[in-house]
Amino acid sequence: MWKFLNPIKHPIPPARWPTVEEGAQSLLFQPIKISSLTLPSRTWVPAMVPWRATEDGFVTQDNLDWYRRFAEGQPAALVVEATGVRDIPSGPLLRIGHDRFLPGLKQLVETVRAASNGQTRLFIQIIDFLAVKRRPDPAKYFQRFLEITGDHRRAISELMEDPYWLSANETEVRSFLSDAPDEVIERALNERELQSLRFGYRERVNDLHLPHVRELPQVLPSIFADAARRGREAGFDGVELHYAHAYTMAGFLSALNDRDDGYGGPRENRARVPLEVYRAVRKTVGDDYVVGVRFLGDEVIAGGNRIADAVYFGVEFAKAGMDYLSISKGGKFEDAEQPKVGQAVYPYTGQSGYECMPTTLSDARGPFGRSVPLVGAIKRAVNTAGFTTPIVATGGITTFEQAESILQGGDADIIGMARQALADPDWFMKVKLGCGDEVRRCTYTNYCEALDQAHRQVTCKLWDRKELDEPGIAMASDGRRRLLAPTWER
């Protein structure tokens, strides 16, 4: 995993929590309008993947309990985890690519409405992703997965100074490569083949030799639009288009997208598919339904997007009519740590992953609010262009004072808390009622992120081993952790 050269352990900063009167007067607890929808405050729980759906993508009781627990804290809005728009296998992650998923999603909406007494709005984040395979065993890779070409024969012939290899049969070439040292393999395989060997095969949006990738601009708008239609039918208050991190739509936006079919290269071309998807969604759900977007303020990878790209995209998204912009940072495959054989590459293990989910092991700058300057730059550009589109700030936000200062400083319109809300789903209610000193503070060790990486049910170390004798609590599949935070006894 990528680490700073001189890591500094940052303590969790002290906090002064507001009284009830101070809280009521703060910007954080003032209402805000998003399109035709009014939120009662500016508090937000961004999407987190809890690994609680069925293997077929259906809502489970564990999903219902997960979102019920957050809703009990009455944040103004809850964003349901990244939910797949295509009807393809994706493991225990929610899906919305077919009408058969609607009954469970409707039940989820009803659960949140009841648990929050109607105070929490519910959005669903919809996402597309391309194929990512596990890192193969080298012997299996050379014997089964590598497509032998003339380039391999020529490379081996040159390395061995033996023309025999120019006409060697495929079995001989595979056997040679299976036994070859790394320095030979590095010269015989091209860059993509080496990546497939060392990290696992991964599709990219500029793999135009693959017909299904080439046709993505033609098929994605209707796929996303159908998913958004299901979101509205299920009763969600809006949909959030997932254009961030390591997934398909972020791939189109990325400066690394060099497609030559009009959907890559210059910024305006890279924005075409994301904007066409948005227009298809908007046409399907109507103007009276919230459609927001989450995208990156900085990709934090070599050759990737920087803040100038993000500012451009932010203005274009606002101009197109998106109802809010939620900003993230990093979380890319390109700089991820090499996985073990048999495991898939995880896009939150390199420097870009750290910037997405910073920990208290940091540099002199510290882990808190590292994305706020990016958010502020995008907000100012959007406002200067004449738009009042609300901007959501997330990432290492933990205290009332921190959240309020971001709003007062004009860097954002809404505050999103993911890891802090996981640590204490009642943060919003406790602070609003003047009980901030009872908040369970996130320690930003990324215990939860490690569980996500291992595809295990996500919990928080601050409460998952507490009060295990409490009657009727749901336990994780390992039998050692509770799945939900203890109830706040007011």
Short mmCIF file of all heavy atoms in Angstrom, two decimals, residues 113-134:
data_model
loop_
_atom_site.label_atom_id
_atom_site.label_comp_id
_atom_site.label_asym_id
_atom_site.label_seq_id
_atom_site.Cartn_x
_atom_site.Cartn_y
_atom_site.Cartn_z
N ARG A 113 -38.44 5.74 5.34
CA ARG A 113 -39.49 6.72 5.64
C ARG A 113 -39.99 6.53 7.08
O ARG A 113 -40.12 7.49 7.85
CB ARG A 113 -40.66 6.53 4.68
CG ARG A 113 -40.37 6.86 3.24
CD ARG A 113 -40.60 8.32 2.92
NE ARG A 113 -40.49 8.51 1.49
CZ ARG A 113 -39.36 8.76 0.82
NH1 ARG A 113 -38.22 8.86 1.50
NH2 ARG A 113 -39.36 8.92 -0.48
N ALA A 114 -40.28 5.29 7.43
CA ALA A 114 -40.83 5.01 8.76
C ALA A 114 -39.82 5.29 9.86
O ALA A 114 -40.14 5.89 10.89
CB ALA A 114 -41.31 3.56 8.83
N ALA A 115 -38.57 4.87 9.66
CA ALA A 115 -37.55 5.01 10.70
C ALA A 115 -37.18 6.46 10.97
O ALA A 115 -36.80 6.82 12.08
CB ALA A 115 -36.30 4.22 10.32
N SER A 116 -37.29 7.32 9.95
CA SER A 116 -36.92 8.73 10.11
C SER A 116 -38.13 9.62 10.36
O SER A 116 -37.99 10.85 10.38
CB SER A 116 -36.18 9.22 8.86
OG SER A 116 -37.06 9.31 7.75
N ASN A 117 -39.30 9.02 10.50
CA ASN A 117 -40.54 9.80 10.64
C ASN A 117 -40.73 10.75 9.47
O ASN A 117 -41.22 11.87 9.64
CB ASN A 117 -40.55 10.57 11.96
CG ASN A 117 -40.59 9.65 13.16
OD1 ASN A 117 -41.31 8.65 13.15
ND2 ASN A 117 -39.83 9.98 14.20
N GLY A 118 -40.31 10.29 8.31
CA GLY A 118 -40.47 11.09 7.10
C GLY A 118 -39.50 12.23 6.96
O GLY A 118 -39.63 13.05 6.03
N GLN A 119 -38.50 12.32 7.83
CA GLN A 119 -37.57 13.44 7.81
C GLN A 119 -36.40 13.25 6.85
O GLN A 119 -35.75 14.21 6.44
CB GLN A 119 -37.01 13.67 9.22
CG GLN A 119 -38.05 14.11 10.23
CD GLN A 119 -38.72 15.41 9.81
OE1 GLN A 119 -38.06 16.43 9.63
NE2 GLN A 119 -40.04 15.36 9.65
N THR A 120 -36.07 12.01 6.50
CA THR A 120 -34.89 11.74 5.68
C THR A 120 -35.29 11.43 4.25
O THR A 120 -36.09 10.52 3.99
CB THR A 120 -34.10 10.54 6.27
OG1 THR A 120 -33.61 10.91 7.56
CG2 THR A 120 -32.93 10.17 5.38
N ARG A 121 -34.71 12.18 3.32
CA ARG A 121 -34.91 11.92 1.90
C ARG A 121 -33.96 10.81 1.47
O ARG A 121 -32.87 10.67 2.01
CB ARG A 121 -34.65 13.18 1.08
CG ARG A 121 -35.52 14.37 1.47
CD ARG A 121 -36.99 14.10 1.20
NE ARG A 121 -37.82 15.28 1.43
CZ ARG A 121 -39.14 15.30 1.24
NH1 ARG A 121 -39.76 14.22 0.82
NH2 ARG A 121 -39.82 16.40 1.48
N LEU A 122 -34.37 10.07 0.45
CA LEU A 122 -33.60 8.91 0.05
C LEU A 122 -33.29 8.96 -1.44
O LEU A 122 -34.19 9.02 -2.28
CB LEU A 122 -34.40 7.63 0.37
CG LEU A 122 -33.63 6.32 0.33
CD1 LEU A 122 -32.52 6.29 1.36
CD2 LEU A 122 -34.59 5.15 0.58
N PHE A 123 -31.99 8.96 -1.76
CA PHE A 123 -31.54 8.90 -3.14
C PHE A 123 -30.86 7.55 -3.37
O PHE A 123 -30.34 6.95 -2.43
CB PHE A 123 -30.54 10.02 -3.45
CG PHE A 123 -31.06 11.41 -3.15
CD1 PHE A 123 -30.26 12.36 -2.55
CD2 PHE A 123 -32.36 11.76 -3.49
CE1 PHE A 123 -30.73 13.63 -2.28
CE2 PHE A 123 -32.85 13.03 -3.22
CZ PHE A 123 -32.03 13.98 -2.62
N ILE A 124 -30.84 7.10 -4.60
CA ILE A 124 -30.14 5.86 -4.92
C ILE A 124 -29.05 6.16 -5.93
O ILE A 124 -29.30 6.82 -6.94
CB ILE A 124 -31.10 4.75 -5.42
CG1 ILE A 124 -30.34 3.43 -5.58
CG2 ILE A 124 -31.84 5.15 -6.68
CD1 ILE A 124 -31.24 2.21 -5.73
N GLN A 125 -27.85 5.70 -5.62
CA GLN A 125 -26.70 5.93 -6.49
C GLN A 125 -26.63 4.79 -7.51
O GLN A 125 -26.61 3.61 -7.14
CB GLN A 125 -25.42 5.96 -5.65
CG GLN A 125 -24.17 6.36 -6.41
CD GLN A 125 -22.94 6.29 -5.51
OE1 GLN A 125 -22.47 5.20 -5.21
NE2 GLN A 125 -22.44 7.45 -5.09
N ILE A 126 -26.63 5.13 -8.78
CA ILE A 126 -26.63 4.10 -9.82
C ILE A 126 -25.30 4.12 -10.58
O ILE A 126 -24.78 5.19 -10.90
CB ILE A 126 -27.84 4.24 -10.76
CG1 ILE A 126 -27.94 5.64 -11.36
CG2 ILE A 126 -29.12 3.92 -10.00
CD1 ILE A 126 -29.12 5.80 -12.34
N ILE A 127 -24.79 2.92 -10.87
CA ILE A 127 -23.41 2.78 -11.33
C ILE A 127 -23.29 1.71 -12.40
O ILE A 127 -24.05 0.75 -12.43
CB ILE A 127 -22.50 2.42 -10.13
CG1 ILE A 127 -21.02 2.41 -10.53
CG2 ILE A 127 -22.89 1.06 -9.53
CD1 ILE A 127 -20.08 2.20 -9.36
N ASP A 128 -22.33 1.91 -13.30
CA ASP A 128 -21.95 0.87 -14.25
C ASP A 128 -20.47 0.58 -14.05
O ASP A 128 -19.69 1.47 -13.68
CB ASP A 128 -22.19 1.31 -15.69
CG ASP A 128 -21.85 0.20 -16.67
OD1 ASP A 128 -22.57 -0.81 -16.68
OD2 ASP A 128 -20.84 0.33 -17.39
N PHE A 129 -20.08 -0.66 -14.29
CA PHE A 129 -18.68 -1.04 -14.16
C PHE A 129 -18.32 -2.04 -15.24
O PHE A 129 -19.17 -2.81 -15.72
CB PHE A 129 -18.39 -1.61 -12.77
CG PHE A 129 -19.43 -2.55 -12.25
CD1 PHE A 129 -19.45 -3.89 -12.60
CD2 PHE A 129 -20.44 -2.07 -11.42
CE1 PHE A 129 -20.43 -4.74 -12.14
CE2 PHE A 129 -21.43 -2.93 -10.95
CZ PHE A 129 -21.43 -4.27 -11.31
N LEU A 130 -17.06 -2.04 -15.62
CA LEU A 130 -16.54 -2.98 -16.60
C LEU A 130 -15.89 -4.16 -15.89
O LEU A 130 -15.69 -4.14 -14.68
CB LEU A 130 -15.55 -2.28 -17.52
CG LEU A 130 -16.13 -1.13 -18.35
CD1 LEU A 130 -15.04 -0.44 -19.17
CD2 LEU A 130 -17.24 -1.63 -19.27
N ALA A 131 -15.52 -5.17 -16.66
CA ALA A 131 -15.00 -6.40 -16.09
C ALA A 131 -13.66 -6.20 -15.39
O ALA A 131 -12.76 -5.53 -15.92
CB ALA A 131 -14.85 -7.45 -17.18
N VAL A 132 -13.55 -6.77 -14.20
CA VAL A 132 -12.29 -6.82 -13.45
C VAL A 132 -12.12 -8.25 -12.96
O VAL A 132 -12.97 -8.76 -12.23
CB VAL A 132 -12.30 -5.85 -12.25
CG1 VAL A 132 -10.99 -5.96 -11.47
CG2 VAL A 132 -12.53 -4.42 -12.71
N LYS A 133 -11.04 -8.90 -13.38
CA LYS A 133 -10.80 -10.29 -13.00
C LYS A 133 -9.77 -10.37 -11.88
O LYS A 133 -8.97 -9.45 -11.68
CB LYS A 133 -10.30 -11.09 -14.21
CG LYS A 133 -11.22 -11.03 -15.42
CD LYS A 133 -12.56 -11.68 -15.15
CE LYS A 133 -13.41 -11.72 -16.42
NZ LYS A 133 -14.74 -12.31 -16.17
N ARG A 134 -9.80 -11.46 -11.17
CA ARG A 134 -8.83 -11.69 -10.11
C ARG A 134 -7.43 -11.91 -10.68
O ARG A 134 -7.28 -12.38 -11.81
CB ARG A 134 -9.25 -12.89 -9.26
CG ARG A 134 -10.59 -12.71 -8.56
CD ARG A 134 -11.01 -13.98 -7.85
NE ARG A 134 -12.35 -13.88 -7.32
CZ ARG A 134 -12.66 -13.37 -6.14
NH1 ARG A 134 -11.68 -12.94 -5.34
NH2 ARG A 134 -13.91 -13.31 -5.73
#
